[in-house]
Amino acid sequence: MSVLSSLYPWVKALHIVSVIAWMAGLLYLPRLFVYHADARIASDASETFKLMERRLLRGIMNPAMIATYLFGILLATTPGVVDWAMGWIYIKLAAVAALTLVHHRLALWRKEFAADANRRPARFYRIVNEIPTLLLLLIVAMVVVKPF
Ligand code: HEM
């Protein structure tokens, strides 16, 4: 049995913990943007949101995304875990790519907020907030149900 095979349940546990931390940020950062979009520029609230957004992205979301990828790739390369002839893994990987795109968009918008240069209304971020939820539903359905 390979080292990866014997570590499989531990790697999976760490993968799930990383996913939870990443998702927490992907759901909370656009929520902060919803409130930040309505805060007056240079107000105490606006400056506090900037700090919260920077810490959330740098302290939680970036490391959690890297850890999710790292443990996910280890799982995918563990012998016998993924049957590459099945379709679910490709849908999952496409949804992960979409989540990564959302992450990078959010990082871009955070920079705009930090420069007091946001031009989008709160409603826009409310809608963006739904995207990670839908992708999460799709990913969990694929990895747990493996329907095809
Ligand atoms: C590079 C990115 C990723 C790769 C390569 C990857 C790959 C994998 C693999 C190979 C497994 C094991 C499946 C099994 O045991 O049958 C797994 C489990 C899992 N993955 Fe990922 N994953 C990635 C990202 C994500 C993301 C972004 C999420 C959620 C948002 C996620 C959620 C899960 C969950 C919940 C499980 C546990 C399923 C179970 O209990 O069998 N993964 N992942």
Side-chain angles (χ1 to χ4, degrees):
M1 199 162 82
S2 75
V3 180
L4 273 182
S5 299
S6 57
L7 289 177
Y8 166 71
W10 287 104
V11 174
K12 184 144 98 173
L14 291 170
H15 182 59
I16 292 171
V17 171
S18 316
V19 162
I20 290 171
W22 189 24
M23 285 309 307
L26 286 169
L27 295 170
Y28 190 44
L29 189 56
R31 177 63 29 200
L32 287 175
F33 291 166
V34 168
Y35 301 127
H36 196 166
D38 284 336
R40 209 166 19 83
I41 284 172
S43 63
D44 282 354
S46 173
E47 294 306 308
T48 303
F49 284 132
K50 285 184 192 179
L51 195 69
M52 292 169 80
E53 288 155 4
R54 187 160 59 95
R55 289 195 175 154
L56 182 62
L57 189 75
R58 301 234 179 115
I60 310 268
M61 294 171 68
N62 285 342
M65 178 179 66
I66 292 166
T68 299
Y69 267 76
L70 183 74
F71 295 122
I73 290 165
L74 284 178
L75 286 173
T77 51
T78 302
V81 169
V82 178
D83 177 354
W84 296 96
M86 288 184 80
W88 66 269
I89 185 71
Y90 302 101
I91 306 286
K92 174 181 174 168
L93 291 178
V96 173
L99 271 185
T100 308
L101 209 77
V102 170
H103 179 108
H104 285 97
R105 281 276 136 189
L106 292 174
L108 210 79
W109 295 331
R110 187 204 69 79
K111 279 197 183 139
E112 290 182 3
F113 273 110
D116 295 319
N118 169 58
R119 281 164 284 102
R120 296 176 191 82
R123 212 182 104 72
F124 173 81
Y125 298 108
R126 258 181 228 284
I127 296 166
V128 165
N129 215 182
E130 304 304 327
I131 301 172
T133 312
L134 295 175
L135 290 169
L136 176 65
L137 274 169
L138 180 63
I139 292 174
V140 172
M142 289 303 115
V143 290
V144 175
V145 181
K146 299 186 171 86
F148 44 82

